Amino acid sequence: MRLLLALLLAAGMLAACGRAGSIRPPGPPDQVTFPRGYPSR
C-alpha cells in the first residue's frame, strides 16, 4: 500500500513539472529570426 502511494505521489509530482504559459522563442523580440519552433514552408 505504501509503495502504491509513493508511486502515485511521484507520478503527480512529475506530471506537475512543466513550463506554464505560452511558448515564446528565446531572446529579444527584435532579434528572433523565426517566430515559431520550425519555419513554415
Side-chain angles (χ1 to χ4, degrees):
M1 186 68 179
R2 287 184 184 177
L3 179 62
L4 180 62
L5 183 62
L7 287 175
L8 286 174
L9 182 64
M13 289 172 58
L14 288 175
C17 66
R19 186 170 171 201
S22 62
I23 300 173
R24 295 183 306 271
D30 59 343
Q31 294 182 1
V32 173
T33 305
F34 297 110
R36 298 180 223 30
Y38 295 97
S40 60
R41 292 185 186 224

